[in-house]
Amino acid sequence: MPEEIKNRLANGEPMEYITGTAYFYREEYNVTPDVLIPRPETELLVERLTERLQEGAHFVDLCCGSGCIAISALCERDDCTADAYDISEKAVALARANAQKNGVSDRYRAWIGDVRKLICPVCDIIVANPPYIQTSVVATLDRSVIDYEPWLALDGGADGLDFYRIILQRFTPVDCFLFEIGYDQGEAIGRLAGSLGMMCEVSKDYSGHDRIACIKK
């Protein structure tokens, strides 16, 4: 291994940023420090999404980052289409490149958009892995995260629920919302959904932690 790479690893830089590549679900993605590195637990969100998509469905991916959620879902479901949005121009450019790389660019459109201002197109499902870490907790994360990954994609506000709150109040998918949530946010997201007159079902990851919330009106 070259000395430069050894030094970068010793300083805590993730290998995915060093190589510029991450493997997620069944696909390979380009990654840079402008986006979060795709995590294995997020693959559960892709599974839930592909299970719920009806034939010919159109879905929207908010806070899309590298594009891995929607792109992997489209690789599984060649009858579906997606629009994706992120506030970061560099993230959107990377998502478009990843759609091209994985052969779904004809069914995937990525746009620059702030969920606080966005007018969301009509869709069957809204899927999102938004920032959900409490502001006070972000600085305590592993150095490999806080020194290298974008804080913009981590900080979910004082209670970690800011983006869920915005999305649930602003948008109305035909079927449901599918969210990745923090390991301890199941009860909180359920209460939030209930306060808005919605039903929430939380499923756990393979470690037994809260991970996916399906919310419907």
Side-chain angles (χ1 to χ4, degrees):
M1 182 183 295
E3 196 66 27
E4 178 190 356
I5 293 180
K6 289 182 181 179
N7 291 336
R8 291 170 71 179
L9 287 171
N11 288 329
E13 185 173 356
M15 178 62 81
E16 290 87 348
Y17 289 151
I18 296 173
T19 63
T21 301
Y23 296 92
F24 176 83
Y25 213 71
R26 298 182 175 93
E27 287 70 50
E28 179 182 299
Y29 289 91
N30 299 331
V31 293
T32 71
D34 298 304
V35 299
L36 292 180
I37 297 167
R39 287 347 194 239
E41 56 266 28
T42 305
E43 294 181 352
L44 288 172
L45 189 56
V46 177
E47 291 181 7
R48 298 294 184 272
L49 176 59
T50 55
E51 289 168 358
R52 289 199 69 95
L53 288 170
Q54 299 295 315
E55 184 176 354
H58 179 73
F59 66 95
V60 167
D61 179 13
L62 300 177
C63 308
C64 69
S66 66
C68 64
I69 295 168
I71 292 169
S72 285
L74 291 177
C75 287
E76 295 295 304
R77 293 292 304 272
D78 61 9
D79 59 312
C80 296
T81 58
D83 282 296
Y85 296 87
D86 200 284
I87 197 172
S88 166
E89 183 177 350
K90 291 181 178 179
V92 168
L94 190 63
R96 290 170 178 165
N98 279 325
Q100 183 73 36
K101 178 175 185 174
N102 286 289
V104 299
S105 58
D106 59 328
R107 296 181 289 119
Y108 178 89
R109 298 182 299 178
W111 312 90
I112 301 168
D114 183 341
V115 297
R116 293 165 293 191
K117 303 175 182 177
L118 183 66
I119 298 176
C120 190
V122 175
C123 63
D124 296 288
I125 293 175
I126 289 178
V127 62
N129 179 17
Y132 58 68
I133 299 173
Q134 296 178 23
T135 302
S136 62
V137 174
V138 174
T140 71
L141 298 175
D142 188 86
R143 303 303 306 180
S144 65
V145 175
I146 61 175
D147 286 351
Y148 295 98
E149 300 202 62
W151 280 48
L152 185 67
L154 297 170
D155 190 345
D159 64 357
L161 302 178
D162 280 4
F163 286 88
Y164 304 118
R165 196 174 287 112
I166 292 166
I167 293 169
L168 289 172
Q169 290 175 336
R170 284 184 53 84
F171 308 126
T172 308
V174 173
D175 181 3
C176 70
F177 299 90
L178 284 174
F179 295 133
E180 177 172 328
I181 62 173
Y183 73 95
D184 59 353
Q185 291 180 322
E187 291 186 7
I189 196 74
R191 288 194 298 270
L192 173 59
S195 72
L196 297 170
M198 301 181 190
M199 299 178 293
C200 177
E201 180 181 353
V202 173
S203 54
K204 297 184 181 297
D205 60 23
Y206 295 123
S207 297
H209 298 135
D210 297 336
R211 191 58 60 189
I212 308 297
C214 177
I215 298 175
K216 302 180 68 173
K217 289 196 172 182

